[in-house]
Every structure is written in structure tokens, then in C-alpha cells.
Amino acid sequence: MVREAPLAMAAGLSRAAALRWARQSIDRLDARRLLQHVTGCSAADLLAYAEVPLSDEAVHAFKALVARRQQGEPVAYLTGVAGFYGDLLQVSPAVLVPRPETEALVRWALTVLDGCPAPRVADLGTGSGAIGLALAGARPDAVVLAVDVSPEALAVATRNRDRLTRHNVTLHCASWFEGTPAEPAFDLVVSNPPYINAADPHLAGDGVRFEPKVALTDGGDGLSAYTAIVAQAMPRLKPGGWLLVEHGHDQAESVAARWRAAGLVNVESRQDLSGNPRMTAGQKPGADRGA
Ligand SMILES: C[S@@+](CC[C@H](N)C(=O)[O-])C[C@H]1O[C@@H](n2cnc3c(N)ncnc32)[C@H](O)[C@@H]1O
């Protein structure tokens, strides 16, 4: 059998041929997003004008990005942007790349806030600002406090807040609620904290190993953030307010047990799109506000 020679990447190659070359080593969608980034073209333009030749400069830039993707760097770090809940967010290696699963947490949070006028919301561990900014966009009447322990992450979130002009979001550098005023209280505290067990091999996986450790793991069993968050959130929730978090697929029972032990009621876990229990909510007793 005669083997086809691998495609070479050289100046003058068409966009279509460049994509074929890249697909020898990286995912098809990743290749397309990187070529869009290099050429500034939309996906539709890449298809419609597939035979347009690439400049020397574009070939050089595309080759470099494909090589980095091949080494495991997330596409979002290479392009500097990630989509989340209809927003295009700037991202850098200082923040977790927002995940599609987390959009389900935003949808649940919005349900919880239904019928609550001018809600006060805290997003703990905001990273790029994904959750807090999404809630602030969907609920312009909300007042959102977005907190992160990482000043570098907070700088990214601040840029996103300013670019999206979500003036109803205030950013604060702290460990969870530490140093934040006890009043006024919150209708909703939402968080996607670091929850991966430090021994989990996923930490070394594709893309993940380039993300900040502080965003991924607590350095222990992955549950310590929930213990700290529920303890600090309880006095800051209004009666009837909700504590809603994302967690690992095998952590729902541990999180729900912490919620009940702290005195939260109506504790419920829900699944992500893959059918894994992925988020848990509980309500502070004392007022009649449904989920
Ligand atoms: C899993 S990432 C979530 C980022 C973003 N909310 C999202 O969903 O894409 C967890 C975030 O929590 C932050 N974090 C970790 N420990 C923290 C702490 N003690 N207090 C506040 N933020 C913390 C990390 O810096 C990181 O930005």
C-alpha cells in the first residue's frame, strides 16, 4: 500500500489546505477556531473563501498556534477569548476557561431569582467573571458582587466587566467573603469553586494542566471550599436566600450534607447535560421564596 505523504504547511497554501494540514495533529474544530483567529475571518467566510491563499505571516502564526495546541494549550488561551452564556469573554492563563456545564448553573440561578426584584447576588471565585457577568447581563436590576482570591483573575474579570459595560457588578479581591461587609445581605450566593481532588489525574489532562491550580483544586480532597463557603455564606444570606454551587460529579452527597448540616433547607442537586449530578442548591429558612 502506498502511503499518502503528510501535507506540508507552506506559504501560498489555501485556507482549506491549511485546515487539512492542521487536522493531521489537532481537533477539526480547534483548527478552524485557530485559523479564524489568525485570518480574522468568520467560520462562514472560511468556508465560502476556502481557496484564498494564506500570507507568509498567517502561515507562520497558524503553524505556531497549532504546535502549541498540540502540546495541550487550550484554544481559548491561544485566541484569548471564550464564549459563555452569550458573552464573548477575554481569558488568559490567569483564569479557568469557562465551561459550557457552568451555563446550567447560571440558568438555575436565574430561576431562583425569578420574582425577586433588584436581587443582591454574590459570585464567589469569579475567575473571568463568567457567572457574575452573565447574571448581571440577564438581570440588569441585580447588584452583583464578584469575588476572587487571585488579583490576576480579578484583573481579567474587571476588563470583561468594563468591555461588557455591566456596571451593576462590583469586583473584590478576597478569600470568599473575608473582609467584605456583613450587610446588606444576599438573595443568592453562587459559586463554581476549585473542587478537583489533588490526586485526580485529570489535573494533568489536555488543556487542564495549563489552567491555574488555584482555580482547579484546593490541594486536598476538593471539598474544603464548600465547607468554607457554606460557613461564610450562612450569615450573609437573607432569610429565603439561596446558596447554589457547581461541584464534581461524585460530590453531590458531600455538598448536600454540608448544606443540611449548616441549616439550609430545600436542598436539591441537579444533573449536567451528561447526566452527572453537577450542582447543588439550598435555601436559608425564614421566608417564602420558591426555587
Ligand atoms: C473553578 S474556577 C471558576 C471560575 C469561574 N467562576 C467560572 O465558573 O468559570 C474557581 C475560581 O475560584 C477562585 N478561588 C480559589 N480559591 C478562592 C478563595 N479562597 N476565595 C476566592 N476565590 C477563590 C480561583 O482563583 C478561580 O478563579
Side-chain angles (χ1 to χ4, degrees), residues 84 94-99 102 123-131 147-150 153 174-176 192-195 214-216 246:
F84 184 80
V95 298
L96 185 96
V97 178
R99 308 292 205 264
T102 307
D123 170 21
L124 301 183
T126 196
S128 61
I131 299 170
V147 176
D148 208 288
V149 76
S150 156
S175 177
W176 312 131
N192 174 20
Y195 57 69
V214 66
L216 298 166
E246 180 172 320

Side-chain angles (χ1 to χ4, degrees), residues 30-48:
D30 290 352
R32 209 180 65 201
R33 284 168 63 197
L34 292 178
L35 194 59
Q36 277 180 246
H37 176 67
V38 163
T39 58
C41 286
S42 65
D45 276 352
L46 279 190
L47 266 181

Side-chain angles (χ1 to χ4, degrees), residues 8-9 31 57 75-76 117 127 132 141 177 187 195-196 204 210 212 217 245:
M9 181 67 180
E57 206 180 19
V75 171
D141 62 330
F177 277 119
D187 297 284
Y195 57 69
I196 303 180
F210 288 86
T217 178
V245 293

Side-chain angles (χ1 to χ4, degrees), residues 9-28:
M9 181 67 180
L13 208 65
S14 70
R15 292 166 174 177
L19 282 178
R20 280 200 301 278
W21 169 81
R23 286 198 318 245
Q24 295 174 146
S25 56
I26 65 170
D27 172 78
R28 188 173 60 89

